[in-house]
Amino acid sequence: MKTVYLTIDDGPSKDRKEKVDILYQYGIQPIWFCIGSEIEKRPEDVIYSIRKGGIIGNHSYSHPRFSQISLEECFEEIEKTDRIIDSIYREAGVARPIKAFRFPYGDKGEDNNFFKKPYSEEGKKKISKIMTFLKELGYTKPKFDGITYEYYSKFGLKDDIDWYWTYDVAEWCTFQEKPMFGVRTIDDVFELMELDLPEKWAGLNYPYSDDIILMHDHPQTTPLFKPIICQLLKKGLHFGAIPLE
Ligand SMILES: [Zn+2]
């Protein structure tokens, strides 16, 4: 059976607890890729996320594009948030189950059009240094052997240490000034879910691969949060527990 894993980026927003409760109600375990500076604003909400079964991942300290900052700054962004997450788990009295990292905007150190054009030699070097840094800090990613999309292996997403997604819910598009991916409303979000283009990042209807679903903890889309989860469940998708190895 196809399994999907729920990853939620950004925040914690002011509405984090509400979202935690919705997922808890449906028995869905998410990994929350939190921004370090936002964790500092709402540590209690992050502890609440942990106590309700969620896992906390590192999504940098200030959410920059890693292609726009120096290598040293990339390291600082990662390490500072790593320490913050360590201390949050200590405060929660829970052992940190895994060190997981996701790049802001999926920007690994060079702009993330990797599926359109290959990384430059310089970009490759920067990315590889960041990967080594993550490894040395103990960051890891499960094998996700159930993800069988060709692009997932081809673009190195399977082997990379950072957690990339395979399906973007694109609810964040509903509040952008310029519409992106043709998404303006929640109906557009639902329509995207019906596409059957497995090698074009739209494989929810493709039974032969698992998916890593990307959503966000943005305050602008809080009202859409529950309807989106319900729609995914209505599609018969099985949400798996976040694998740890
Ligand atoms: Zn983000």
Side-chain angles (χ1 to χ4, degrees), residues 32-89:
W32 304 92
F33 284 103
C34 296
I35 300 169
S37 57
E38 298 296 313
I39 298 176
E40 288 177 334
K41 290 180 199 159
R42 300 187 179 85
E44 287 308 316
D45 293 355
V46 180
I47 292 172
Y48 187 77
S49 316
I50 294 170
R51 296 223 164 111
K52 289 279 185 176
I55 292 172
I56 305 304
N58 182 336
H59 193 42
S60 82
Y61 184 74
S62 62
H63 207 268
R65 282 195 170 270
F66 274 39
S67 59
Q68 315 268 304
I69 59 174
S70 71
L71 188 60
E72 271 313 305
E73 287 166 327
C74 294
F75 292 169
E76 276 169 33
E77 286 280 335
I78 293 167
E79 202 169 13
K80 196 167 177 186
T81 300
D82 185 59
R83 285 197 300 269
I84 293 170
I85 295 174
D86 265 345
S87 86
I88 277 285
Y89 269 103

Short mmCIF file of all heavy atoms in Angstrom, two decimals, residues 32-89:
data_model
loop_
_atom_site.label_atom_id
_atom_site.label_comp_id
_atom_site.label_asym_id
_atom_site.label_seq_id
_atom_site.Cartn_x
_atom_site.Cartn_y
_atom_site.Cartn_z
N TRP A 32 7.88 18.37 12.06
CA TRP A 32 7.76 19.82 11.94
C TRP A 32 9.16 20.39 11.71
O TRP A 32 9.98 20.36 12.63
CB TRP A 32 7.20 20.42 13.23
CG TRP A 32 5.89 19.90 13.70
CD1 TRP A 32 5.67 18.87 14.58
CD2 TRP A 32 4.57 20.41 13.38
NE1 TRP A 32 4.33 18.71 14.81
CE2 TRP A 32 3.62 19.64 14.09
CE3 TRP A 32 4.13 21.46 12.56
CZ2 TRP A 32 2.25 19.86 14.00
CZ3 TRP A 32 2.75 21.70 12.48
CH2 TRP A 32 1.83 20.90 13.19
N PHE A 33 9.43 20.87 10.50
CA PHE A 33 10.72 21.51 10.23
C PHE A 33 10.61 22.97 10.66
O PHE A 33 10.06 23.81 9.94
CB PHE A 33 11.10 21.37 8.76
CG PHE A 33 11.58 19.99 8.41
CD1 PHE A 33 10.75 19.09 7.75
CD2 PHE A 33 12.86 19.56 8.77
CE1 PHE A 33 11.19 17.81 7.45
CE2 PHE A 33 13.30 18.28 8.47
CZ PHE A 33 12.46 17.40 7.80
N CYS A 34 11.12 23.23 11.86
CA CYS A 34 10.91 24.55 12.48
C CYS A 34 12.08 25.49 12.21
O CYS A 34 13.23 25.07 12.07
CB CYS A 34 10.77 24.40 13.98
SG CYS A 34 9.34 23.45 14.49
N ILE A 35 11.77 26.78 12.22
CA ILE A 35 12.77 27.84 12.07
C ILE A 35 13.26 28.21 13.48
O ILE A 35 12.45 28.52 14.36
CB ILE A 35 12.14 29.06 11.38
CG1 ILE A 35 11.60 28.67 9.99
CG2 ILE A 35 13.14 30.21 11.29
CD1 ILE A 35 10.74 29.74 9.33
N GLY A 36 14.59 28.17 13.67
CA GLY A 36 15.16 28.38 14.99
C GLY A 36 14.68 29.65 15.68
O GLY A 36 14.30 29.64 16.85
N SER A 37 14.67 30.77 14.94
CA SER A 37 14.29 32.04 15.55
C SER A 37 12.81 32.04 15.95
O SER A 37 12.41 32.76 16.88
CB SER A 37 14.57 33.20 14.59
OG SER A 37 13.88 33.00 13.38
N GLU A 38 12.01 31.23 15.28
CA GLU A 38 10.58 31.14 15.63
C GLU A 38 10.39 30.21 16.84
O GLU A 38 9.49 30.44 17.66
CB GLU A 38 9.76 30.63 14.44
CG GLU A 38 9.80 31.53 13.21
CD GLU A 38 9.18 32.89 13.46
OE1 GLU A 38 8.08 32.97 14.03
OE2 GLU A 38 9.81 33.91 13.09
N ILE A 39 11.24 29.21 16.95
CA ILE A 39 11.19 28.32 18.13
C ILE A 39 11.45 29.17 19.38
O ILE A 39 10.79 29.00 20.41
CB ILE A 39 12.24 27.19 18.05
CG1 ILE A 39 12.00 26.28 16.84
CG2 ILE A 39 12.23 26.35 19.34
CD1 ILE A 39 13.06 25.20 16.65
N GLU A 40 12.40 30.09 19.26
CA GLU A 40 12.73 30.94 20.42
C GLU A 40 11.53 31.77 20.87
O GLU A 40 11.39 32.10 22.03
CB GLU A 40 13.90 31.86 20.08
CG GLU A 40 15.22 31.11 19.99
CD GLU A 40 16.39 31.99 19.58
OE1 GLU A 40 16.16 33.01 18.89
OE2 GLU A 40 17.51 31.65 19.93
N LYS A 41 10.64 32.10 19.91
CA LYS A 41 9.46 32.92 20.26
C LYS A 41 8.37 32.09 20.93
O LYS A 41 7.59 32.60 21.72
CB LYS A 41 8.88 33.56 18.99
CG LYS A 41 9.74 34.65 18.41
CD LYS A 41 9.05 35.21 17.15
CE LYS A 41 10.05 35.95 16.28
NZ LYS A 41 9.58 36.07 14.90
N ARG A 42 8.29 30.80 20.57
CA ARG A 42 7.19 29.97 21.07
C ARG A 42 7.66 28.59 21.51
O ARG A 42 7.17 27.57 21.00
CB ARG A 42 6.12 29.79 19.97
CG ARG A 42 5.51 31.08 19.51
CD ARG A 42 4.34 30.85 18.55
NE ARG A 42 3.79 32.13 18.18
CZ ARG A 42 4.27 32.88 17.17
NH1 ARG A 42 5.28 32.44 16.44
NH2 ARG A 42 3.72 34.06 16.90
N PRO A 43 8.61 28.55 22.44
CA PRO A 43 9.14 27.24 22.84
C PRO A 43 8.05 26.30 23.37
O PRO A 43 8.09 25.10 23.10
CB PRO A 43 10.16 27.58 23.94
CG PRO A 43 9.85 28.97 24.37
CD PRO A 43 9.22 29.66 23.21
N GLU A 44 7.08 26.89 24.07
CA GLU A 44 6.02 26.05 24.65
C GLU A 44 5.24 25.30 23.57
O GLU A 44 4.84 24.14 23.77
CB GLU A 44 5.04 26.92 25.46
CG GLU A 44 5.60 27.43 26.77
CD GLU A 44 6.18 26.31 27.63
OE1 GLU A 44 5.52 25.24 27.72
OE2 GLU A 44 7.27 26.49 28.18
N ASP A 45 5.03 25.97 22.45
CA ASP A 45 4.26 25.33 21.37
C ASP A 45 5.05 24.21 20.71
O ASP A 45 4.47 23.24 20.20
CB ASP A 45 3.86 26.37 20.32
CG ASP A 45 2.86 27.38 20.89
OD1 ASP A 45 2.43 27.19 22.06
OD2 ASP A 45 2.51 28.35 20.20
N VAL A 46 6.36 24.35 20.73
CA VAL A 46 7.21 23.29 20.16
C VAL A 46 7.21 22.09 21.11
O VAL A 46 7.10 20.94 20.68
CB VAL A 46 8.64 23.81 19.89
CG1 VAL A 46 9.50 22.70 19.30
CG2 VAL A 46 8.58 24.99 18.92
N ILE A 47 7.30 22.39 22.39
CA ILE A 47 7.23 21.30 23.38
C ILE A 47 5.88 20.59 23.28
O ILE A 47 5.80 19.35 23.33
CB ILE A 47 7.47 21.86 24.81
CG1 ILE A 47 8.93 22.32 24.92
CG2 ILE A 47 7.14 20.82 25.88
CD1 ILE A 47 9.27 23.07 26.18
N TYR A 48 4.84 21.34 23.07
CA TYR A 48 3.50 20.76 22.88
C TYR A 48 3.49 19.85 21.65
O TYR A 48 2.94 18.75 21.68
CB TYR A 48 2.47 21.89 22.73
CG TYR A 48 1.03 21.44 22.69
CD1 TYR A 48 0.36 21.07 23.86
CD2 TYR A 48 0.33 21.40 21.48
CE1 TYR A 48 -0.97 20.65 23.82
CE2 TYR A 48 -0.99 20.98 21.43
CZ TYR A 48 -1.64 20.62 22.61
OH TYR A 48 -2.96 20.20 22.56
N SER A 49 4.13 20.29 20.56
CA SER A 49 4.20 19.47 19.34
C SER A 49 4.90 18.13 19.64
O SER A 49 4.48 17.09 19.14
CB SER A 49 5.00 20.18 18.25
OG SER A 49 4.65 21.53 18.13
N ILE A 50 5.95 18.20 20.44
CA ILE A 50 6.70 16.98 20.78
C ILE A 50 5.84 16.05 21.64
O ILE A 50 5.75 14.84 21.39
CB ILE A 50 8.00 17.34 21.56
CG1 ILE A 50 8.96 18.11 20.66
CG2 ILE A 50 8.66 16.08 22.13
CD1 ILE A 50 10.16 18.72 21.40
N ARG A 51 5.20 16.63 22.64
CA ARG A 51 4.42 15.80 23.57
C ARG A 51 3.25 15.13 22.88
O ARG A 51 2.77 14.08 23.32
CB ARG A 51 3.90 16.67 24.73
CG ARG A 51 5.03 17.24 25.56
CD ARG A 51 4.78 17.15 27.06
NE ARG A 51 6.02 17.36 27.79
CZ ARG A 51 6.30 18.43 28.54
NH1 ARG A 51 5.40 19.39 28.66
NH2 ARG A 51 7.46 18.52 29.17
N LYS A 52 2.77 15.72 21.76
CA LYS A 52 1.66 15.12 21.02
C LYS A 52 2.17 14.23 19.89
O LYS A 52 1.45 13.96 18.93
CB LYS A 52 0.74 16.22 20.47
CG LYS A 52 -0.06 16.94 21.55
CD LYS A 52 -1.30 16.13 21.96
CE LYS A 52 -2.15 16.91 22.96
NZ LYS A 52 -3.39 16.20 23.29
N GLY A 53 3.43 13.82 20.00
CA GLY A 53 3.94 12.79 19.08
C GLY A 53 4.68 13.29 17.86
O GLY A 53 5.16 12.48 17.06
N GLY A 54 4.76 14.60 17.66
CA GLY A 54 5.46 15.12 16.49
C GLY A 54 6.97 15.07 16.67
O GLY A 54 7.48 14.96 17.79
N ILE A 55 7.67 15.14 15.57
CA ILE A 55 9.13 15.18 15.59
C ILE A 55 9.54 16.58 15.15
O ILE A 55 8.90 17.19 14.28
CB ILE A 55 9.71 14.11 14.64
CG1 ILE A 55 9.41 12.73 15.21
CG2 ILE A 55 11.21 14.31 14.42
CD1 ILE A 55 9.76 11.59 14.29
N ILE A 56 10.62 17.11 15.75
CA ILE A 56 11.07 18.45 15.39
C ILE A 56 12.31 18.36 14.51
O ILE A 56 13.32 17.75 14.90
CB ILE A 56 11.38 19.30 16.65
CG1 ILE A 56 10.17 19.32 17.60
CG2 ILE A 56 11.79 20.72 16.25
CD1 ILE A 56 8.87 19.83 16.99
N GLY A 57 12.22 18.93 13.33
CA GLY A 57 13.35 18.99 12.42
C GLY A 57 13.89 20.41 12.33
O GLY A 57 13.24 21.36 12.77
N ASN A 58 15.09 20.52 11.78
CA ASN A 58 15.81 21.78 11.67
C ASN A 58 15.55 22.39 10.29
O ASN A 58 15.74 21.75 9.27
CB ASN A 58 17.30 21.45 11.87
CG ASN A 58 18.22 22.65 11.83
OD1 ASN A 58 17.91 23.68 11.26
ND2 ASN A 58 19.40 22.49 12.43
N HIS A 59 15.07 23.65 10.27
CA HIS A 59 14.78 24.32 9.00
C HIS A 59 15.54 25.66 8.95
O HIS A 59 15.03 26.63 8.42
CB HIS A 59 13.26 24.52 8.91
CG HIS A 59 12.75 24.90 7.54
ND1 HIS A 59 13.20 24.36 6.38
CD2 HIS A 59 11.79 25.81 7.16
CE1 HIS A 59 12.55 24.89 5.34
NE2 HIS A 59 11.71 25.78 5.80
N SER A 60 16.73 25.66 9.56
CA SER A 60 17.62 26.83 9.66
C SER A 60 17.16 27.80 10.75
O SER A 60 16.08 27.62 11.31
CB SER A 60 17.74 27.59 8.33
OG SER A 60 16.64 28.48 8.15
N TYR A 61 17.99 28.82 11.00
CA TYR A 61 17.67 29.76 12.06
C TYR A 61 16.82 30.93 11.58
O TYR A 61 15.88 31.35 12.24
CB TYR A 61 18.95 30.31 12.71
CG TYR A 61 18.65 31.22 13.87
CD1 TYR A 61 18.21 30.70 15.09
CD2 TYR A 61 18.76 32.60 13.74
CE1 TYR A 61 17.89 31.53 16.15
CE2 TYR A 61 18.44 33.44 14.80
CZ TYR A 61 18.00 32.90 16.00
OH TYR A 61 17.67 33.73 17.05
N SER A 62 17.13 31.45 10.36
CA SER A 62 16.40 32.64 9.92
C SER A 62 15.79 32.48 8.52
O SER A 62 15.37 33.46 7.91
CB SER A 62 17.33 33.86 9.95
OG SER A 62 18.41 33.65 9.05
N HIS A 63 15.76 31.24 8.01
CA HIS A 63 15.10 30.93 6.75
C HIS A 63 15.64 31.71 5.55
O HIS A 63 14.88 32.24 4.74
CB HIS A 63 13.57 31.17 6.89
CG HIS A 63 12.76 30.31 5.96
ND1 HIS A 63 12.37 30.72 4.70
CD2 HIS A 63 12.26 29.06 6.08
CE1 HIS A 63 11.66 29.76 4.12
NE2 HIS A 63 11.59 28.73 4.94
N PRO A 64 16.98 31.74 5.40
CA PRO A 64 17.53 32.38 4.20
C PRO A 64 17.59 31.39 3.05
O PRO A 64 17.43 30.18 3.26
CB PRO A 64 18.96 32.71 4.63
CG PRO A 64 19.31 31.60 5.58
CD PRO A 64 18.02 31.19 6.26
N ARG A 65 17.83 31.89 1.85
CA ARG A 65 18.21 31.01 0.75
C ARG A 65 19.69 30.68 0.93
O ARG A 65 20.51 31.59 0.98
CB ARG A 65 17.99 31.72 -0.59
CG ARG A 65 16.56 31.74 -1.01
CD ARG A 65 16.42 32.12 -2.48
NE ARG A 65 15.05 31.89 -2.90
CZ ARG A 65 14.61 30.74 -3.41
NH1 ARG A 65 15.44 29.74 -3.59
NH2 ARG A 65 13.35 30.60 -3.73
N PHE A 66 20.00 29.41 1.01
CA PHE A 66 21.40 29.04 1.28
C PHE A 66 22.31 29.42 0.11
O PHE A 66 23.52 29.53 0.29
CB PHE A 66 21.50 27.56 1.65
CG PHE A 66 21.27 27.30 3.13
CD1 PHE A 66 20.29 28.00 3.83
CD2 PHE A 66 22.02 26.36 3.82
CE1 PHE A 66 20.08 27.78 5.20
CE2 PHE A 66 21.82 26.13 5.19
CZ PHE A 66 20.86 26.84 5.88
N SER A 67 21.74 29.62 -1.08
CA SER A 67 22.57 30.05 -2.22
C SER A 67 22.98 31.52 -2.05
O SER A 67 23.92 31.97 -2.70
CB SER A 67 21.80 29.88 -3.52
OG SER A 67 20.60 30.62 -3.50
N GLN A 68 22.30 32.26 -1.19
CA GLN A 68 22.56 33.69 -1.07
C GLN A 68 23.45 34.04 0.11
O GLN A 68 23.70 35.22 0.36
CB GLN A 68 21.24 34.47 -0.90
CG GLN A 68 20.14 34.03 -1.83
CD GLN A 68 20.11 34.84 -3.11
OE1 GLN A 68 20.02 36.05 -3.08
NE2 GLN A 68 20.22 34.15 -4.22
N ILE A 69 23.85 33.05 0.89
CA ILE A 69 24.70 33.33 2.05
C ILE A 69 25.99 32.51 1.94
O ILE A 69 26.06 31.56 1.16
CB ILE A 69 23.97 33.03 3.39
CG1 ILE A 69 23.53 31.57 3.47
CG2 ILE A 69 22.78 33.97 3.58
CD1 ILE A 69 22.93 31.17 4.82
N SER A 70 26.99 32.92 2.73
CA SER A 70 28.29 32.24 2.66
C SER A 70 28.19 30.86 3.29
O SER A 70 27.25 30.57 4.05
CB SER A 70 29.34 33.07 3.40
OG SER A 70 29.10 32.99 4.80
N LEU A 71 29.19 30.04 3.01
CA LEU A 71 29.22 28.70 3.57
C LEU A 71 29.24 28.76 5.10
O LEU A 71 28.52 28.01 5.78
CB LEU A 71 30.46 27.96 3.04
CG LEU A 71 30.58 26.48 3.36
CD1 LEU A 71 29.41 25.70 2.77
CD2 LEU A 71 31.90 25.94 2.80
N GLU A 72 30.04 29.69 5.64
CA GLU A 72 30.10 29.85 7.09
C GLU A 72 28.72 30.17 7.66
O GLU A 72 28.32 29.65 8.70
CB GLU A 72 31.07 30.98 7.47
CG GLU A 72 32.50 30.54 7.65
CD GLU A 72 32.65 29.29 8.50
OE1 GLU A 72 32.13 29.31 9.64
OE2 GLU A 72 33.24 28.30 8.03
N GLU A 73 28.01 31.05 6.96
CA GLU A 73 26.66 31.43 7.43
C GLU A 73 25.71 30.23 7.35
O GLU A 73 24.84 30.07 8.22
CB GLU A 73 26.12 32.61 6.61
CG GLU A 73 26.81 33.92 6.98
CD GLU A 73 26.54 35.04 5.98
OE1 GLU A 73 26.39 34.76 4.76
OE2 GLU A 73 26.49 36.20 6.41
N CYS A 74 25.87 29.41 6.32
CA CYS A 74 25.04 28.19 6.21
C CYS A 74 25.26 27.32 7.44
O CYS A 74 24.30 26.84 8.07
CB CYS A 74 25.40 27.37 4.97
SG CYS A 74 25.02 28.18 3.41
N PHE A 75 26.56 27.14 7.79
CA PHE A 75 26.89 26.30 8.95
C PHE A 75 26.25 26.88 10.21
O PHE A 75 25.70 26.16 11.04
CB PHE A 75 28.41 26.21 9.14
CG PHE A 75 29.13 25.45 8.05
CD1 PHE A 75 30.52 25.48 7.97
CD2 PHE A 75 28.43 24.70 7.11
CE1 PHE A 75 31.20 24.78 6.97
CE2 PHE A 75 29.10 24.00 6.10
CZ PHE A 75 30.49 24.04 6.03
N GLU A 76 26.35 28.22 10.38
CA GLU A 76 25.79 28.86 11.58
C GLU A 76 24.28 28.66 11.67
O GLU A 76 23.74 28.41 12.74
CB GLU A 76 26.08 30.37 11.56
CG GLU A 76 27.45 30.72 12.10
CD GLU A 76 27.81 32.17 11.82
OE1 GLU A 76 26.88 33.02 11.80
OE2 GLU A 76 28.99 32.44 11.57
N GLU A 77 23.62 28.82 10.51
CA GLU A 77 22.15 28.66 10.45
C GLU A 77 21.75 27.26 10.95
O GLU A 77 20.77 27.10 11.66
CB GLU A 77 21.66 28.84 9.01
CG GLU A 77 21.66 30.26 8.52
CD GLU A 77 20.45 31.04 9.02
OE1 GLU A 77 19.42 30.44 9.34
OE2 GLU A 77 20.56 32.28 9.10
N ILE A 78 22.54 26.27 10.53
CA ILE A 78 22.23 24.89 10.90
C ILE A 78 22.55 24.64 12.37
O ILE A 78 21.73 24.12 13.12
CB ILE A 78 23.06 23.91 10.01
CG1 ILE A 78 22.59 24.00 8.55
CG2 ILE A 78 22.93 22.47 10.54
CD1 ILE A 78 23.52 23.33 7.55
N GLU A 79 23.76 25.06 12.77
CA GLU A 79 24.23 24.70 14.10
C GLU A 79 23.46 25.41 15.21
O GLU A 79 23.14 24.80 16.24
CB GLU A 79 25.73 25.02 14.22
CG GLU A 79 26.39 24.22 15.32
CD GLU A 79 27.91 24.33 15.27
OE1 GLU A 79 28.43 25.21 14.54
OE2 GLU A 79 28.56 23.53 15.96
N LYS A 80 23.11 26.66 14.97
CA LYS A 80 22.39 27.42 15.99
C LYS A 80 21.04 26.76 16.27
O LYS A 80 20.65 26.59 17.43
CB LYS A 80 22.20 28.86 15.49
CG LYS A 80 21.82 29.83 16.59
CD LYS A 80 21.95 31.27 16.12
CE LYS A 80 21.49 32.22 17.20
NZ LYS A 80 21.45 33.62 16.77
N THR A 81 20.37 26.40 15.21
CA THR A 81 19.06 25.76 15.38
C THR A 81 19.19 24.36 15.95
O THR A 81 18.34 23.91 16.72
CB THR A 81 18.31 25.75 14.03
OG1 THR A 81 18.17 27.10 13.61
CG2 THR A 81 16.94 25.11 14.14
N ASP A 82 20.28 23.68 15.59
CA ASP A 82 20.54 22.36 16.17
C ASP A 82 20.58 22.45 17.69
O ASP A 82 19.98 21.64 18.40
CB ASP A 82 21.85 21.81 15.62
CG ASP A 82 22.10 20.39 16.09
OD1 ASP A 82 21.26 19.51 15.80
OD2 ASP A 82 23.13 20.13 16.76
N ARG A 83 21.30 23.47 18.19
CA ARG A 83 21.41 23.63 19.65
C ARG A 83 20.06 23.98 20.27
O ARG A 83 19.70 23.50 21.34
CB ARG A 83 22.43 24.74 19.99
CG ARG A 83 23.87 24.30 19.78
CD ARG A 83 24.83 25.24 20.49
NE ARG A 83 24.71 26.63 20.02
CZ ARG A 83 25.44 27.14 19.02
NH1 ARG A 83 26.34 26.40 18.41
NH2 ARG A 83 25.27 28.39 18.65
N ILE A 84 19.29 24.81 19.59
CA ILE A 84 17.97 25.21 20.09
C ILE A 84 17.06 23.98 20.20
O ILE A 84 16.34 23.79 21.19
CB ILE A 84 17.34 26.29 19.19
CG1 ILE A 84 18.14 27.59 19.28
CG2 ILE A 84 15.87 26.53 19.54
CD1 ILE A 84 17.76 28.64 18.26
N ILE A 85 17.11 23.11 19.18
CA ILE A 85 16.26 21.91 19.19
C ILE A 85 16.70 20.96 20.30
O ILE A 85 15.87 20.39 21.01
CB ILE A 85 16.26 21.22 17.81
CG1 ILE A 85 15.60 22.14 16.77
CG2 ILE A 85 15.50 19.88 17.87
CD1 ILE A 85 15.66 21.63 15.34
N ASP A 86 18.03 20.82 20.47
CA ASP A 86 18.52 20.01 21.58
C ASP A 86 17.93 20.48 22.90
O ASP A 86 17.46 19.69 23.71
CB ASP A 86 20.06 20.12 21.67
CG ASP A 86 20.76 18.99 20.95
OD1 ASP A 86 20.10 17.97 20.63
OD2 ASP A 86 21.97 19.11 20.69
N SER A 87 17.96 21.78 23.12
CA SER A 87 17.53 22.29 24.42
C SER A 87 16.01 22.18 24.58
O SER A 87 15.51 21.96 25.68
CB SER A 87 18.06 23.71 24.67
OG SER A 87 17.20 24.66 24.12
N ILE A 88 15.28 22.29 23.47
CA ILE A 88 13.82 22.12 23.53
C ILE A 88 13.48 20.69 23.94
O ILE A 88 12.59 20.46 24.75
CB ILE A 88 13.20 22.45 22.14
CG1 ILE A 88 13.00 23.95 22.00
CG2 ILE A 88 11.90 21.72 21.90
CD1 ILE A 88 11.83 24.51 22.78
N TYR A 89 14.19 19.72 23.34
CA TYR A 89 13.94 18.32 23.72
C TYR A 89 14.29 18.08 25.19
O TYR A 89 13.59 17.35 25.89
CB TYR A 89 14.71 17.36 22.80
CG TYR A 89 13.91 16.93 21.59
CD1 TYR A 89 14.15 17.48 20.33
CD2 TYR A 89 12.89 15.97 21.70
CE1 TYR A 89 13.40 17.09 19.22
CE2 TYR A 89 12.14 15.58 20.59
CZ TYR A 89 12.40 16.14 19.36
OH TYR A 89 11.65 15.75 18.26
#
